Amino acid sequence: MELVVVMFKTTYECNARCSYCHMYKYADKRYMSLDVVDKTLQRLEEYVKKEFLQKDKKVMIKYIWHGGEPLLMGDDFYKDVKKLIKKYEVLSKKVVSFHTMQTNFTLFHKHDYSEVVDLLNGNFGVSYDPFTNAKKLSLSAKAYKENFLKSMQKLKKLNARASLIYVVTKENVKKSKEFYYFVKNLGFESVEMDPVYGSDDSMTQEEFGEFLCDIWDLWRKDNYSVNFLVLKSWRYNIKGLRQSVGSHYGKGCIKNVFTIKPNGDILGCGKQEDKPFGNIYKDSFLDIEPKKREIVDSRLRYLLSSDDECKGCKWWSLCYGECPFSTKESDIYTKTKAKWCKSYKMLFSYIETIENSVEVV
């Protein structure tokens, strides 16, 4: 089954101002209109019909509601979104789809978000760092943590779920043990760990590599009880060095991914703010997708043929040159220099040493 991802950057406004956030320079008061959502769904239906259904291919659509802070849109906005989707028979009846949201989650306990819960089928994606004061809310660090945990309590009462994205920075990279038991005890549906992106940070590759190896060791000794998505993929694939399907590491990258800004601009990955491929009011997904595919493929060809570290790398099939946007200097069109290359090599070597001595199940 083919996967199509549509990410709605509903707003760049946010009630948090994370010290590491790369979105500062894009922050404004603009909110996405329902007309932008409607036009996006029209483009999506056209794309799904011609690219998949007319070719007898099965497809799953993943909608991601993002920001800024998407809960600032209010519950009525998502109620109207559900109505819009029902307008499009292909999207509402003929394909499999699901919704998720990436939120700092500090607002959830304060308001009625029943329409949001229904749209997401109770499956939230949250970001949280309990160890630093990286999120600059109008509240104190203590109040920020209290708001997050109150929202988690409300979610539990609703029998809903939360998956965590944890940003690793200089401020928390030495807290691997505290982090591991925090996520285990709070019972997140799944956990992803991303190194800081898009802002100056003094964390070294060795520090991040040691963090990953520490987490791996804790996880292994705990019988792999926490659902670390990308670690599970790497563990499964390490022996035969098969293609990793975890997180944003992999040669698929921006293929079949469309990110929509509040003004209707179309991006590939949500991090690719500076280079839109077009706008939903002028351009179809069918025209844009081949351009995106060529960008990804040309980058992969370059990395494999140049004298860059990727050429001949033992771990190529697990990371494909890392996230193209992991540094400000990244140029997805040609020779992205992976910022965390040494970190991942440290982890992959450690995994290989451990997992080759035991049976992988």
PDB file of all heavy atoms in Angstrom, residues 127-151:
ATOM      1  N   SER A 127       5.081  17.109  21.862  1.00  0.00           N
ATOM      2  CA  SER A 127       6.490  17.375  22.123  1.00  0.00           C
ATOM      3  C   SER A 127       6.619  17.837  23.561  1.00  0.00           C
ATOM      4  O   SER A 127       5.786  18.612  24.055  1.00  0.00           O
ATOM      5  CB  SER A 127       7.031  18.440  21.161  1.00  0.00           C
ATOM      6  OG  SER A 127       6.279  19.637  21.263  1.00  0.00           O
ATOM      7  N   TYR A 128       7.645  17.369  24.236  1.00  0.00           N
ATOM      8  CA  TYR A 128       7.785  17.700  25.646  1.00  0.00           C
ATOM      9  C   TYR A 128       9.218  17.451  26.093  1.00  0.00           C
ATOM     10  O   TYR A 128       9.852  16.480  25.687  1.00  0.00           O
ATOM     11  CB  TYR A 128       6.826  16.849  26.483  1.00  0.00           C
ATOM     12  CG  TYR A 128       6.809  17.204  27.954  1.00  0.00           C
ATOM     13  CD1 TYR A 128       6.475  18.483  28.373  1.00  0.00           C
ATOM     14  CD2 TYR A 128       7.126  16.253  28.922  1.00  0.00           C
ATOM     15  CE1 TYR A 128       6.451  18.814  29.721  1.00  0.00           C
ATOM     16  CE2 TYR A 128       7.101  16.570  30.278  1.00  0.00           C
ATOM     17  CZ  TYR A 128       6.762  17.848  30.668  1.00  0.00           C
ATOM     18  OH  TYR A 128       6.741  18.168  31.992  1.00  0.00           O
ATOM     19  N   ASP A 129       9.724  18.345  26.934  1.00  0.00           N
ATOM     20  CA  ASP A 129      11.039  18.177  27.538  1.00  0.00           C
ATOM     21  C   ASP A 129      10.901  18.498  29.021  1.00  0.00           C
ATOM     22  O   ASP A 129      10.774  19.666  29.398  1.00  0.00           O
ATOM     23  CB  ASP A 129      12.058  19.116  26.891  1.00  0.00           C
ATOM     24  CG  ASP A 129      13.440  18.989  27.523  1.00  0.00           C
ATOM     25  OD1 ASP A 129      13.606  18.168  28.442  1.00  0.00           O
ATOM     26  OD2 ASP A 129      14.354  19.723  27.099  1.00  0.00           O
ATOM     27  N   PRO A 130      10.892  17.480  29.869  1.00  0.00           N
ATOM     28  CA  PRO A 130      10.700  17.717  31.299  1.00  0.00           C
ATOM     29  C   PRO A 130      11.949  18.182  32.032  1.00  0.00           C
ATOM     30  O   PRO A 130      11.878  18.490  33.223  1.00  0.00           O
ATOM     31  CB  PRO A 130      10.273  16.337  31.816  1.00  0.00           C
ATOM     32  CG  PRO A 130      10.979  15.387  30.912  1.00  0.00           C
ATOM     33  CD  PRO A 130      10.993  16.049  29.555  1.00  0.00           C
ATOM     34  N   PHE A 131      13.090  18.259  31.340  1.00  0.00           N
ATOM     35  CA  PHE A 131      14.361  18.476  32.029  1.00  0.00           C
ATOM     36  C   PHE A 131      14.963  19.869  31.855  1.00  0.00           C
ATOM     37  O   PHE A 131      15.896  20.221  32.543  1.00  0.00           O
ATOM     38  CB  PHE A 131      15.382  17.432  31.566  1.00  0.00           C
ATOM     39  CG  PHE A 131      14.860  16.038  31.664  1.00  0.00           C
ATOM     40  CD1 PHE A 131      14.665  15.272  30.532  1.00  0.00           C
ATOM     41  CD2 PHE A 131      14.531  15.493  32.889  1.00  0.00           C
ATOM     42  CE1 PHE A 131      14.166  13.987  30.622  1.00  0.00           C
ATOM     43  CE2 PHE A 131      14.024  14.208  32.987  1.00  0.00           C
ATOM     44  CZ  PHE A 131      13.850  13.447  31.850  1.00  0.00           C
ATOM     45  N   THR A 132      14.450  20.644  30.904  1.00  0.00           N
ATOM     46  CA  THR A 132      14.998  21.982  30.692  1.00  0.00           C
ATOM     47  C   THR A 132      13.850  22.977  30.569  1.00  0.00           C
ATOM     48  O   THR A 132      12.681  22.597  30.503  1.00  0.00           O
ATOM     49  CB  THR A 132      15.840  22.055  29.405  1.00  0.00           C
ATOM     50  OG1 THR A 132      14.970  21.954  28.272  1.00  0.00           O
ATOM     51  CG2 THR A 132      16.866  20.939  29.348  1.00  0.00           C
ATOM     52  N   ASN A 133      14.184  24.240  30.521  1.00  0.00           N
ATOM     53  CA  ASN A 133      13.175  25.289  30.318  1.00  0.00           C
ATOM     54  C   ASN A 133      13.263  25.809  28.895  1.00  0.00           C
ATOM     55  O   ASN A 133      13.252  27.013  28.648  1.00  0.00           O
ATOM     56  CB  ASN A 133      13.386  26.425  31.318  1.00  0.00           C
ATOM     57  CG  ASN A 133      12.222  27.403  31.315  1.00  0.00           C
ATOM     58  OD1 ASN A 133      11.102  27.051  30.954  1.00  0.00           O
ATOM     59  ND2 ASN A 133      12.495  28.631  31.708  1.00  0.00           N
ATOM     60  N   ALA A 134      13.354  24.873  27.932  1.00  0.00           N
ATOM     61  CA  ALA A 134      13.516  25.269  26.534  1.00  0.00           C
ATOM     62  C   ALA A 134      12.259  25.905  25.972  1.00  0.00           C
ATOM     63  O   ALA A 134      12.319  26.725  25.065  1.00  0.00           O
ATOM     64  CB  ALA A 134      13.909  24.061  25.691  1.00  0.00           C
ATOM     65  N   LYS A 135      11.100  25.523  26.492  1.00  0.00           N
ATOM     66  CA  LYS A 135       9.839  26.082  25.989  1.00  0.00           C
ATOM     67  C   LYS A 135       9.501  27.339  26.771  1.00  0.00           C
ATOM     68  O   LYS A 135       9.254  27.289  27.972  1.00  0.00           O
ATOM     69  CB  LYS A 135       8.707  25.053  26.096  1.00  0.00           C
ATOM     70  CG  LYS A 135       8.874  23.904  25.121  1.00  0.00           C
ATOM     71  CD  LYS A 135       7.646  23.026  25.129  1.00  0.00           C
ATOM     72  CE  LYS A 135       7.828  21.828  24.222  1.00  0.00           C
ATOM     73  NZ  LYS A 135       7.987  22.184  22.820  1.00  0.00           N
ATOM     74  N   LYS A 136       9.528  28.457  26.096  1.00  0.00           N
ATOM     75  CA  LYS A 136       9.310  29.744  26.737  1.00  0.00           C
ATOM     76  C   LYS A 136       7.840  30.140  26.621  1.00  0.00           C
ATOM     77  O   LYS A 136       7.445  30.887  25.727  1.00  0.00           O
ATOM     78  CB  LYS A 136      10.207  30.810  26.101  1.00  0.00           C
ATOM     79  CG  LYS A 136      11.675  30.410  25.965  1.00  0.00           C
ATOM     80  CD  LYS A 136      12.312  30.133  27.332  1.00  0.00           C
ATOM     81  CE  LYS A 136      13.801  29.799  27.175  1.00  0.00           C
ATOM     82  NZ  LYS A 136      14.443  29.467  28.451  1.00  0.00           N
ATOM     83  N   LEU A 137       7.035  29.637  27.531  1.00  0.00           N
ATOM     84  CA  LEU A 137       5.634  30.020  27.581  1.00  0.00           C
ATOM     85  C   LEU A 137       5.498  31.310  28.383  1.00  0.00           C
ATOM     86  O   LEU A 137       6.455  31.795  28.983  1.00  0.00           O
ATOM     87  CB  LEU A 137       4.813  28.923  28.241  1.00  0.00           C
ATOM     88  CG  LEU A 137       4.765  27.576  27.514  1.00  0.00           C
ATOM     89  CD1 LEU A 137       4.328  26.487  28.476  1.00  0.00           C
ATOM     90  CD2 LEU A 137       3.805  27.656  26.350  1.00  0.00           C
ATOM     91  N   SER A 138       4.301  31.855  28.390  1.00  0.00           N
ATOM     92  CA  SER A 138       4.054  33.005  29.251  1.00  0.00           C
ATOM     93  C   SER A 138       4.021  32.572  30.703  1.00  0.00           C
ATOM     94  O   SER A 138       3.945  33.394  31.611  1.00  0.00           O
ATOM     95  CB  SER A 138       2.718  33.664  28.870  1.00  0.00           C
ATOM     96  OG  SER A 138       1.667  32.725  28.981  1.00  0.00           O
ATOM     97  N   LEU A 139       4.077  31.250  30.921  1.00  0.00           N
ATOM     98  CA  LEU A 139       4.073  30.687  32.255  1.00  0.00           C
ATOM     99  C   LEU A 139       5.489  30.336  32.684  1.00  0.00           C
ATOM    100  O   LEU A 139       6.419  30.325  31.890  1.00  0.00           O
ATOM    101  CB  LEU A 139       3.209  29.428  32.282  1.00  0.00           C
ATOM    102  CG  LEU A 139       1.786  29.562  31.752  1.00  0.00           C
ATOM    103  CD1 LEU A 139       1.166  28.184  31.622  1.00  0.00           C
ATOM    104  CD2 LEU A 139       0.953  30.437  32.655  1.00  0.00           C
ATOM    105  N   SER A 140       5.653  30.023  33.941  1.00  0.00           N
ATOM    106  CA  SER A 140       6.947  29.558  34.432  1.00  0.00           C
ATOM    107  C   SER A 140       7.194  28.136  33.953  1.00  0.00           C
ATOM    108  O   SER A 140       6.287  27.457  33.464  1.00  0.00           O
ATOM    109  CB  SER A 140       6.951  29.577  35.962  1.00  0.00           C
ATOM    110  OG  SER A 140       6.016  28.624  36.462  1.00  0.00           O
ATOM    111  N   ALA A 141       8.445  27.674  34.103  1.00  0.00           N
ATOM    112  CA  ALA A 141       8.768  26.301  33.717  1.00  0.00           C
ATOM    113  C   ALA A 141       7.918  25.312  34.505  1.00  0.00           C
ATOM    114  O   ALA A 141       7.443  24.308  33.970  1.00  0.00           O
ATOM    115  CB  ALA A 141      10.254  26.042  33.948  1.00  0.00           C
ATOM    116  N   LYS A 142       7.684  25.611  35.772  1.00  0.00           N
ATOM    117  CA  LYS A 142       6.861  24.730  36.603  1.00  0.00           C
ATOM    118  C   LYS A 142       5.429  24.676  36.074  1.00  0.00           C
ATOM    119  O   LYS A 142       4.836  23.595  35.960  1.00  0.00           O
ATOM    120  CB  LYS A 142       6.870  25.221  38.045  1.00  0.00           C
ATOM    121  CG  LYS A 142       6.021  24.360  38.975  1.00  0.00           C
ATOM    122  CD  LYS A 142       6.042  24.893  40.402  1.00  0.00           C
ATOM    123  CE  LYS A 142       5.152  24.056  41.310  1.00  0.00           C
ATOM    124  NZ  LYS A 142       5.135  24.584  42.698  1.00  0.00           N
ATOM    125  N   ALA A 143       4.881  25.843  35.727  1.00  0.00           N
ATOM    126  CA  ALA A 143       3.510  25.884  35.219  1.00  0.00           C
ATOM    127  C   ALA A 143       3.395  25.181  33.868  1.00  0.00           C
ATOM    128  O   ALA A 143       2.380  24.531  33.584  1.00  0.00           O
ATOM    129  CB  ALA A 143       3.045  27.329  35.113  1.00  0.00           C
ATOM    130  N   TYR A 144       4.429  25.319  33.034  1.00  0.00           N
ATOM    131  CA  TYR A 144       4.429  24.618  31.738  1.00  0.00           C
ATOM    132  C   TYR A 144       4.315  23.110  31.955  1.00  0.00           C
ATOM    133  O   TYR A 144       3.498  22.422  31.317  1.00  0.00           O
ATOM    134  CB  TYR A 144       5.700  24.961  30.971  1.00  0.00           C
ATOM    135  CG  TYR A 144       6.130  23.922  29.955  1.00  0.00           C
ATOM    136  CD1 TYR A 144       5.314  23.592  28.883  1.00  0.00           C
ATOM    137  CD2 TYR A 144       7.351  23.264  30.086  1.00  0.00           C
ATOM    138  CE1 TYR A 144       5.698  22.631  27.960  1.00  0.00           C
ATOM    139  CE2 TYR A 144       7.743  22.306  29.170  1.00  0.00           C
ATOM    140  CZ  TYR A 144       6.919  21.996  28.108  1.00  0.00           C
ATOM    141  OH  TYR A 144       7.304  21.046  27.213  1.00  0.00           O
ATOM    142  N   LYS A 145       5.107  22.576  32.856  1.00  0.00           N
ATOM    143  CA  LYS A 145       5.077  21.145  33.117  1.00  0.00           C
ATOM    144  C   LYS A 145       3.735  20.717  33.704  1.00  0.00           C
ATOM    145  O   LYS A 145       3.192  19.657  33.346  1.00  0.00           O
ATOM    146  CB  LYS A 145       6.229  20.770  34.053  1.00  0.00           C
ATOM    147  CG  LYS A 145       7.602  20.983  33.417  1.00  0.00           C
ATOM    148  CD  LYS A 145       8.736  20.764  34.399  1.00  0.00           C
ATOM    149  CE  LYS A 145      10.081  21.067  33.746  1.00  0.00           C
ATOM    150  NZ  LYS A 145      11.216  20.897  34.684  1.00  0.00           N
ATOM    151  N   GLU A 146       3.193  21.548  34.581  1.00  0.00           N
ATOM    152  CA  GLU A 146       1.895  21.226  35.169  1.00  0.00           C
ATOM    153  C   GLU A 146       0.801  21.186  34.108  1.00  0.00           C
ATOM    154  O   GLU A 146      -0.067  20.304  34.128  1.00  0.00           O
ATOM    155  CB  GLU A 146       1.548  22.253  36.250  1.00  0.00           C
ATOM    156  CG  GLU A 146       2.382  22.109  37.515  1.00  0.00           C
ATOM    157  CD  GLU A 146       2.081  23.204  38.525  1.00  0.00           C
ATOM    158  OE1 GLU A 146       1.350  24.165  38.158  1.00  0.00           O
ATOM    159  OE2 GLU A 146       2.568  23.102  39.671  1.00  0.00           O
ATOM    160  N   ASN A 147       0.828  22.144  33.169  1.00  0.00           N
ATOM    161  CA  ASN A 147      -0.166  22.166  32.096  1.00  0.00           C
ATOM    162  C   ASN A 147      -0.055  20.942  31.204  1.00  0.00           C
ATOM    163  O   ASN A 147      -1.067  20.360  30.806  1.00  0.00           O
ATOM    164  CB  ASN A 147      -0.012  23.437  31.268  1.00  0.00           C
ATOM    165  CG  ASN A 147      -0.760  24.610  31.855  1.00  0.00           C
ATOM    166  OD1 ASN A 147      -1.931  24.822  31.573  1.00  0.00           O
ATOM    167  ND2 ASN A 147      -0.091  25.378  32.707  1.00  0.00           N
ATOM    168  N   PHE A 148       1.169  20.554  30.885  1.00  0.00           N
ATOM    169  CA  PHE A 148       1.362  19.370  30.047  1.00  0.00           C
ATOM    170  C   PHE A 148       0.829  18.120  30.750  1.00  0.00           C
ATOM    171  O   PHE A 148       0.105  17.316  30.153  1.00  0.00           O
ATOM    172  CB  PHE A 148       2.840  19.186  29.706  1.00  0.00           C
ATOM    173  CG  PHE A 148       3.110  17.988  28.833  1.00  0.00           C
ATOM    174  CD1 PHE A 148       3.044  18.092  27.456  1.00  0.00           C
ATOM    175  CD2 PHE A 148       3.399  16.749  29.391  1.00  0.00           C
ATOM    176  CE1 PHE A 148       3.266  16.981  26.643  1.00  0.00           C
ATOM    177  CE2 PHE A 148       3.630  15.634  28.593  1.00  0.00           C
ATOM    178  CZ  PHE A 148       3.559  15.755  27.219  1.00  0.00           C
ATOM    179  N   LEU A 149       1.171  17.948  32.014  1.00  0.00           N
ATOM    180  CA  LEU A 149       0.760  16.744  32.730  1.00  0.00           C
ATOM    181  C   LEU A 149      -0.752  16.727  32.975  1.00  0.00           C
ATOM    182  O   LEU A 149      -1.373  15.654  32.948  1.00  0.00           O
ATOM    183  CB  LEU A 149       1.528  16.631  34.051  1.00  0.00           C
ATOM    184  CG  LEU A 149       3.040  16.379  33.879  1.00  0.00           C
ATOM    185  CD1 LEU A 149       3.738  16.414  35.230  1.00  0.00           C
ATOM    186  CD2 LEU A 149       3.303  15.050  33.178  1.00  0.00           C
ATOM    187  N   LYS A 150      -1.367  17.886  33.177  1.00  0.00           N
ATOM    188  CA  LYS A 150      -2.831  17.938  33.294  1.00  0.00           C
ATOM    189  C   LYS A 150      -3.482  17.493  31.984  1.00  0.00           C
ATOM    190  O   LYS A 150      -4.511  16.800  31.990  1.00  0.00           O
ATOM    191  CB  LYS A 150      -3.274  19.353  33.645  1.00  0.00           C
ATOM    192  CG  LYS A 150      -3.024  19.753  35.095  1.00  0.00           C
ATOM    193  CD  LYS A 150      -3.472  21.193  35.335  1.00  0.00           C
ATOM    194  CE  LYS A 150      -3.202  21.607  36.777  1.00  0.00           C
ATOM    195  NZ  LYS A 150      -3.579  23.025  37.023  1.00  0.00           N
ATOM    196  N   SER A 151      -2.888  17.894  30.870  1.00  0.00           N
ATOM    197  CA  SER A 151      -3.421  17.472  29.575  1.00  0.00           C
ATOM    198  C   SER A 151      -3.270  15.967  29.385  1.00  0.00           C
ATOM    199  O   SER A 151      -4.161  15.307  28.837  1.00  0.00           O
ATOM    200  CB  SER A 151      -2.714  18.229  28.440  1.00  0.00           C
ATOM    201  OG  SER A 151      -3.050  19.604  28.459  1.00  0.00           O
TER     202      SER A 151
END
